[in-house]
C-alpha cells in the first residue's frame, strides 16, 4: 500500500470529525488525538517489529511482551479504582495466561518459536486478557455493591467468605465472557476476524488463514475463561477485611 | 458456668462531620451479659447505635475496642463463620437468595453440609401461614411480609443459640408482625434460643422481652421488665421522642 493511498483513508477520520462538529458532539479533539496516536503507535511498533524480526534476539521478545503486559494491566486495573491490590492481581493473571498460552502453542508445535509468531500472538492473548480482566473487575465491583444484602445474608447464616461470594463471582465471570462467547457464535456470519482478513489481503491461502483464525479463537476462548477464573480466585479476599467482614468499596 | 453471650468493653466510633475531632463515639465501653436463653429488647432513639450494636454482635461490623464471648469463647479467637452460626443476625429488610422458596430453606444445609430438616421447615412454614405458597416458586416473587417470614424460618433452620432481630417486624402489617412475634417466642420457649430484638415499639418490647437494654449517648442501661411493671418511664420516653 502506498503512502498516498494510506493518506486517503484519513477521509474517514475527517467524515467522523465533521459529523461530530455538525451534531455538536464535541468529539473532534478526541478523534484527532486518537487518530494521531493510533498512527504513531502502529508505525512505531511496525519499525520495532521489523528490527526484532531481523535480529531474532530473545531479550527483545521478552521486553516487548513485558511492555504489553504492563500497559494492559495498567489499563484494566483502572476499572478497579477503590480496590487495593488490583494491579498486581491482574498483572499476575495476564502474565500467567501469556506464559501458558505461548508455551502451550510452541510445545504442541502449533506455532514456530520465532518473534514473527510469538509477538503478534502474545499481543492478541494479552489484549484479550486485558479486556476480560477489565470487564470482570467492573462487573465484580458492581455485583458486590448490588449484592451486599445477599452476601451479608449468607454470612449471617454461617457461610464462609468464599461461599458468600459464589453468586456474585459466578455472575461476574459470565458477564466477562459475553464478548468472547458472542464472537465465537457469530464469527464468519457477522464478522470476518481481523487476523484472517489481514492474511487473506496479504495473499495467504484463505483455508490456511481460517486455520490460524480458529487457533486464535479457541485459544482466546480458553484464555478468557481462565483469566476470569484466576481473577475470581485472586479477588476473593479483596472484598473482605482480615476479620472476614464485608469491606465497603471506596468511591473512586 | 459461662454466660450464653457476654459483651465486654465494646466501643465504636463513627465518622461525623459535626464533631471537631471528625468522629463520634457511638458505643462507649459497653458491658452486657445474657446468662441464659432469654428475650431482650434493645431500645433507644434514632442514631443511638442499636443496629450497629446488633451488627457488631453478628460479626458483620467490627468494634474499635472490646470483645464478645459466646459460651465463654471469644469472637476474636473464633472463625467468624463459626461465630455467626451461633449468633445469627436477621435484617430488617429480608433478602431472598436467588432460587426457589425451597432453595432458600435449604441454604443452611447446603452451606454446612448438613441434612435438610424438612419436617422442621414444613412445621415452621405452616406456623407462619406460608404453607400455601409453592415451594418450587421463585422466592423473589413473594410479598414483603412473606419474604420476612421466610427469611426468619431460614435463620431458624440454623438453630442458633442467639437470634439478633433488627426491627424484623417494622415493615410488616400488624397481623403479620404479631405472627412473626408469636413464631419467635414459641421458638424461644421450645428451643431455648436467646432473642435480642431491636424495636421502637414499647408495646412489642413489653410483650416479647423480659429485659430491656436502652442505648443512650453511647451507654447501655440494662433493666428488668416484668409483665406487671411494663416499660420504665425513662425507656418509654426515649421511644416517644421518635
Amino acid at each position: 500500500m502506498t503512502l498516498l493511498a494510506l493518506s486517503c483513508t484519513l477521509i474517514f477520520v475527517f467524515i467522523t470529525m465533521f459529523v461530530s462538529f455538525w451534531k455538536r458532539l464535541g468529539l473532534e479533539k478526541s478523534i484527532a488525538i486518537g487518530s494521531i496516536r493510533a498512527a504513531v503507535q502502529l508505525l512505531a511498533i511496525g519499525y520495532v517489529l521489523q528490527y526484532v524480526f531481523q535480529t531474532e534476539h530473545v531479550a527483545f521478545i521478552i521486553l516487548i511482551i513485558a511492555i504489553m503486559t504492563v500497559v494492559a494491566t495498567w489499563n484494566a486495573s483502572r476499572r478497579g479504582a477503590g480496590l487495593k491490590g488490583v494491579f498486581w492481581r491482574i498483572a499476575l493473571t495476564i502474565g500467567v495466561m501469556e506464559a501458558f498460552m505461548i508455551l502451550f502453542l510452541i510445545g504442541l508445535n502449533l506455532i514456530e518459536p520465532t518473534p514473527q509468531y510469538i509477538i503478534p500472538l502474545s499481543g492478541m492473548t494479552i489484549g484479550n486478557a486485558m479486556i476480560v480482566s477489565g470487564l470482570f473487575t467492573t462487573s465484580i465491583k458492581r455485583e458486590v455493591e448490588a449484592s451486599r444484602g445477599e452476601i451479608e445474608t449468607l454470612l449471617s447464616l454461617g457461610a464462609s467468605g468464599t461461599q458468600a461470594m459464589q453468586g456474585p463471582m459466578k455472575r461476574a465471570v459470565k458477564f466477562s465472557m459475553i464478548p468472547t462467547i458472542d464472537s465465537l457464535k457469530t464469527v464468519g456470519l457477522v464478522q470476518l476476524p481481523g487476523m484472517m482478513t489481514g492474511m487473506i489481503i496479504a495473499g495467504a491461502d484463505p483455508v490456511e488463514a481460517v486455520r490460524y483464525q480458529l487457533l486464535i479463537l479457541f485459544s482466546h476462548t480458553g484464555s478468557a475463561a481462565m483469566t476470569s477464573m484466576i481473577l475470581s480466585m485472586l479477588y476473593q479476599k479483596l472484598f473482605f477485611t482480615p476479620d472476614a467482614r464485608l469491606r465497603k468499596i471506596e468511591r473512586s | 458456668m459461662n454466660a450464653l453471650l457476654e459483651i465486654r468493653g465494646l466501643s465504636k466510633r463513627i465518622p461525623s462531620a459535626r464533631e471537631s475531632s471528625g468522629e463520634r463515639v457511638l458505643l462507649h465501653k459497653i458491658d452486657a451479659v445474657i446468662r441464659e436463653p432469654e428475650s431482650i429488647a434493645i431500645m433507644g432513639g434514632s442514631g443511638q447505635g442499636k443496629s450497629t450494636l446488633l451488627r457488631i454482635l453478628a460479626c458483620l461490623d467490627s468494634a474499635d475496642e472490646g470483645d464478645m464471648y459466646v459460651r465463654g469463647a471469644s469472637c476474636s479467637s473464633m472463625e467468624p463463620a463459626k461465630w455467626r452460626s451461633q449468633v445469627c443476625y436477621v435484617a430488617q429488610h429480608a433478602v431472598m437468595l436467588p432460587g426457589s422458596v425451597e432453595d432458600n430453606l435449604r441454604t443452611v444445609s447446603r452451606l454446612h453440609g448438613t441434612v435438610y430438616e424438612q419436617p422442621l421447615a414444613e412445621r415452621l412454614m405452616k406456623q407462619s401461614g406460608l404453607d400455601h405458597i409453592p415451594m418450587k416458586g421463585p422466592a423473589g416473587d413473594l410479598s414483603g411480609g412473606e419474604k420476612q417470614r421466610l427469611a426468619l424460618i431460614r435463620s431458624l433452620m440454623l438453630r442458633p443459640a442467639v437470634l439478633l432481630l433488627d426491627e424484623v417486624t417494622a415493615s410488616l402489617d400488624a397481623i403479620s408482625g404479631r405472627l412473626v412475634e408469636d413464631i419467635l417466642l414459641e421458638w424461644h420457649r421450645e428451643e431455648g434460643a436467646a432473642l435480642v430484638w431491636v424495636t421502637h415499639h414499647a408495646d412489642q418490647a413489653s410483650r416479647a422481652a423480659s429485659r430491656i437494654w436502652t442505648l443512650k449517648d453511647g451507654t447501655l442501661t440494662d433493666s428488668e421488665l416484668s409483665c406487671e411493671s411494663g416499660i420504665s418511664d425513662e425507656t418509654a420516653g426515649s421511644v416517644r421522642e421518635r
Side-chain angles (χ1 to χ4, degrees), chain B residues 132-143:
Chain B
H132 65 282
I133 59 169
M135 295 290 267
K136 300 287 176 197
D141 287 356
L142 301 179
S143 70

Side-chain angles (χ1 to χ4, degrees), chain A residues 148-160 163-164 166 171 243-246 248, chain B residues 55 59-62 80-81 84-85 88-89 95 97-98 107-108 110-112 154-155 158:
Chain A
R148 288 192 79 84
E150 180 188 325
I151 297 167
E152 289 199 335
T153 297
L154 282 163
L155 290 176
S156 300
L157 294 171
S160 65
Q163 286 175 318
Q166 226 168 39
R171 294 193 286 272
D243 53 357
R245 270 87 166 172
L246 185 61
K248 283 193 173 67
Chain B
R55 284 177 60 84
C59 206
L60 291 173
D61 275 348
S62 47
R84 290 174 192 135
S85 299
C88 179
Y89 173 80
V95 176
L97 300 169
T107 307
V108 167
R110 184 172 54 79
L111 290 174
H112 300 279
R154 193 177 55 193
S155 299
L158 186 65

